[in-house]
Amino acid sequence: QSFKSQESLVAEKSYTCADWQGGYQSLTQEFDYWIDDIEGQIPTELQGTLFRNGPGLLDVNGQPFHHPFDGDGMISKITFTNGRAHFRNRFVRTTGYLAEQKAGKILYRGTFGTQKPGGWLANIFDFNLKNIANTNVIYWGGKLLALWEAAEAYRLDPYTLETLGNEYFNGALSAGEAFAAHPRVEKNCDQDGGAPCLVNFSIKPGLSTTITIFELNPAGEIVRQHAHSVPGFCFIHDFVITPNYCIFFQNPVTFNPIPFALGIRAAGECIKFQPNQPTQILIIPRFPKEGQEKIKILETQSGFVFHHVNAFEVGDEVLVDSICYQNLPEVEPKSDFRQVDFEALSPGELWRFYLNLKDGTVRRELIESRCCEFPSIHPANVGHPYRYLYIGAAHAESGNAPLQALLKIDLESGERQLWSAAPRGFVGEPIFVLRPGSEKEDDGWVLALVYDAAHHRSDLVILDASDFSKGAIARLHLKHHIPYGLHGSFTSE
Ligand code: 3ON
Ligand code: FE
């Protein structure tokens, strides 16, 4: 009897698919209220605003999107003042969102599988993808910007979240030019006399790919911009910076444009992972000098990277920490993303890559094999050596599973701390917020939205970053759920 129950314990999952699926229902309402259902206490020193972005709608009037990455961007913001918290959410009024809401049906092809109703005839030769502004939201240069990597940023009012239009940075960008969703901020940029600098990029696909790098000053102006052409198709979602370089992982994928052009498949369904091809690592100087080699390409084993944690320079080497998948499953045209078989997919693992700029070699080391995604670090350490990282993780130590826990990793001592919301909680991206006046790297809080399937609502959970074993120091119950999101940022301005 006792042997049997132990065995079933081992086989038991930390979640049910039905619970997980609840977090992928659309949220149609827009709210504006003070959060008063709180367990624990919001630290009074925690002052500022957490902005989050992600797909808020997973359907138009009951017509489902094919993939969550195709969902319309919805911004949530939680403002902390004197121990209280205020919530507000609004959809980004993109051209596509407005048109589809008015029509009450899908009018656009989505990148990851959503097609216009009516079969291939309705989709053939339509290369117009819907800018859904759903991936990240940043506050920079006095502007709140919703980002999606294949098109222009949308500017929003930071207080009301009202959509103000596309952002072209005083004409530095032109219509149709993309501004990626993963900017990196170097807090102390030597080139700018110690001022903060935001670095971002754009990818222009084709037979060869153009990568453009933008550097913005604290006023939100593009002060440096340079473009590079690299051979082949690129699917690059994120990058990392150091004081001297931008580093991109060109995942080994091929793109077959024919089914896309013919309206048979969406663009994202024409991307095929190449497990026998190496990953190319593109190293681009941030401040290209006359006569200097413009771009250096190194190679490492095949793998797929969406997100990097951080990078820094040590002597002749650049160290890059990244979440790496052994395989990228194809998006299947007839499938339903809510029916995912987690165990059949490869988990995201955390690796450290050592790029030797002198001899061109790359070696790598596994840091964490527990399934993990959505890393966060102390903002002052971006591009520089660091000790602690916080990341969403699976409840179980091995296997692929939904994110239900928050993991803190001490890269120096190897110590791990895990806070889990299992069995009925599912976590999103954690964000580290430093305590005002903090001196220690982990002196601050970790904020994350947790979908609570038991109540079909989301909580904002606050952990003490220096000690996860305390459990949540505050749990703010929202009045509704927030569909699983992507990225966000915290501003104390
Ligand atoms: O050549 C083109 C280049 C390009 C920029 C190809 C292309 C059309 C596919 C393209 C567009 C790419 C886009 C629009 C990518 C959008 C990505 C997105 C919205 C989200 C990515 C999320 C990544 C992860 C790892 C999410 C994880 C989620 C969980 C763990 C569960 O909540
Ligand atoms: Fe991302």
Side-chain angles (χ1 to χ4, degrees):
Q1 171 71 42
S2 95
F3 174 72
K4 225 176 170 174
S5 65
Q6 272 204 356
E7 205 175 37
S8 69
L9 254 181
V10 172
E12 217 166 278
K13 285 194 221 160
S14 63
Y15 64 96
T16 69
C17 276
D19 274 357
W20 174 77
Q21 286 162 2
Y24 269 136
Q25 286 176 29
S26 294
L27 177 71
T28 49
Q29 272 174 282
E30 296 182 315
F31 295 89
D32 180 358
Y33 60 91
W34 286 97
I35 303 169
D36 45 35
D37 188 358
I38 298 172
E39 287 173 64
Q41 205 128 43
I42 302 172
T44 48
E45 285 175 289
L46 174 60
Q47 303 261 6
T49 299
L50 175 70
F51 290 105
R52 302 228 33 100
N53 198 353
L57 284 186
L58 287 312
D59 68 281
V60 180
N61 220 1
Q63 292 181 351
F65 293 139
H66 189 69
H67 197 283
F69 298 171
D70 282 347
D72 290 291
M74 182 193 83
I75 309 297
S76 304
K77 85 171 199 180
I78 298 178
T79 301
F80 301 93
T81 44
N82 307 321
R84 296 194 70 202
H86 183 271
F87 178 87
R88 177 170 243 164
N89 73 304
R90 284 199 93 170
F91 281 90
V92 187
R93 264 60 177 178
T94 63
T95 311
Y97 171 87
L98 289 171
E100 289 186 334
Q101 290 306 303
K102 196 168 165 202
K105 60 180 186 190
I106 291 174
L107 301 174
Y108 288 79
R109 299 181 84 180
T111 308
F112 289 97
T114 307
Q115 296 272 59
K116 291 187 278 183
W120 64 272
L121 266 176
N123 291 279
I124 189 166
F125 301 138
D126 181 356
F127 301 107
N128 185 21
L129 298 175
K130 183 179 168 197
N131 179 355
I132 43 184
N134 72 354
T135 310
N136 203 346
V137 54
I138 56 165
Y139 184 71
W140 184 257
K143 294 171 186 167
L144 187 68
L145 301 172
L147 307 177
W148 184 66
E149 70 200 63
E152 302 96 327
Y154 271 90
R155 184 173 172 190
L156 313 168
D157 181 297
Y159 301 100
T160 63
L161 300 181
E162 184 193 338
T163 302
L164 304 173
N166 283 130
E167 176 62 34
Y168 296 108
F169 305 98
N170 297 322
L173 298 190
S174 46
E177 218 178 322
F179 191 69
H182 275 286
R184 299 266 168 186
V185 175
E186 196 186 12
K187 270 272 141 50
N188 228 301
C189 178
D190 271 346
Q191 186 78 13
D192 297 334
C197 174
L198 180 142
V199 189
N200 199 9
F201 65 96
S202 78
I203 300 284
K204 192 168 173 222
L207 289 177
S208 65
T209 301
T210 305
I211 301 180
T212 306
I213 291 163
F214 311 104
E215 303 219 351
L216 283 72
N217 66 11
E221 298 156 339
I222 296 181
V223 288
R224 290 179 284 273
Q225 177 172 344
H226 41 106
H228 304 264
S229 179
V230 298
F233 173 81
C234 286
F235 182 7
I236 299 177
H237 175 72
D238 190 10
F239 80 140
V240 266
I241 60 167
T242 68
N244 292 296
Y245 303 102
C246 293
I247 299 121
F248 298 86
F249 279 38
Q250 185 178 359
N251 297 304
V253 293
T254 53
F255 180 68
N256 175 7
I258 295 164
F260 172 55
L262 296 181
I264 301 164
R265 282 173 166 242
E269 293 167 334
C270 301
I271 295 173
K272 209 171 153 55
F273 182 69
Q274 302 296 320
N276 301 316
Q277 301 269 308
T279 294
Q280 304 221 295
I281 302 176
L282 317 174
I283 304 166
I284 304 179
R286 279 177 59 193
F287 315 107
K289 292 183 208 87
E290 253 338 289
Q292 188 190 6
E293 189 183 21
K294 284 224 169 65
I295 178 164
K296 202 189 212 27
I297 304 184
L298 308 186
E299 283 189 354
T300 184
Q301 281 112 305
S302 179
F304 195 95
V305 171
F306 276 105
H307 297 124
H308 303 283
V309 184
N310 196 21
F312 54 96
E313 301 170 18
V314 181
D316 291 331
E317 288 192 319
V318 174
L319 277 59
V320 183
D321 296 340
S322 314
I323 294 92
C324 201
Y325 298 82
Q326 263 189 37
N327 213 315
L328 177 81
E330 278 168 71
V331 185
E332 297 293 341
K334 289 274 170 302
S335 63
D336 174 355
F337 70 84
R338 289 180 185 84
Q339 301 303 329
V340 57
D341 176 6
F342 281 95
E343 272 114 286
L345 306 173
S346 61
E349 298 173 326
L350 179 60
W351 288 80
R352 172 161 285 185
F353 295 85
Y354 297 81
L355 322 180
N356 191 309
L357 303 190
K358 216 163 203 170
D359 65 16
T361 56
V362 178
R363 69 197 162 85
R364 58 173 205 171
E365 223 169 60
L366 183 65
I367 298 179
E368 178 60 63
S369 61
R370 184 192 291 263
C371 169
C372 59
E373 190 47 277
F374 295 142
S376 176
I377 66 167
H378 191 296
N381 292 336
V382 172
H384 296 270
Y386 71 114
R387 176 168 176 181
Y388 299 108
L389 70 94
Y390 313 91
I391 192 163
H395 176 79
E397 221 170 304
S398 65
N400 186 54
L403 305 177
Q404 293 191 283
L406 299 172
L407 177 67
K408 174 187 180 184
I409 300 180
D410 180 341
L411 294 164
E412 209 171 282
S413 72
E415 193 203 334
R416 265 65 170 163
Q417 293 188 340
L418 188 85
W419 176 85
S420 178
R424 305 205 70 186
F426 299 87
V427 311
E429 177 191 62
I431 291 199
F432 173 80
V433 177
L434 58 107
R435 198 174 58 79
S438 72
E439 276 165 15
K440 297 223 313 275
E441 189 183 320
D442 60 351
D443 187 3
W445 306 279
V446 170
L447 312 184
L449 282 171
V450 179
Y451 170 67
D452 167 13
H455 299 90
H456 185 55
R457 71 177 175 201
S458 296
D459 295 339
L460 190 278
V461 167
I462 305 176
L463 302 184
D464 181 334
S466 69
D467 186 5
F468 276 20
S469 70
K470 280 187 194 168
I473 57 174
R475 209 169 168 133
L476 287 56
H477 302 299
L478 303 183
K479 297 180 191 287
H480 47 83
H481 83 299
I482 296 181
Y484 298 128
L486 293 165
H487 305 289
S489 54
F490 187 89
T491 174
S492 41
E493 280 178 55

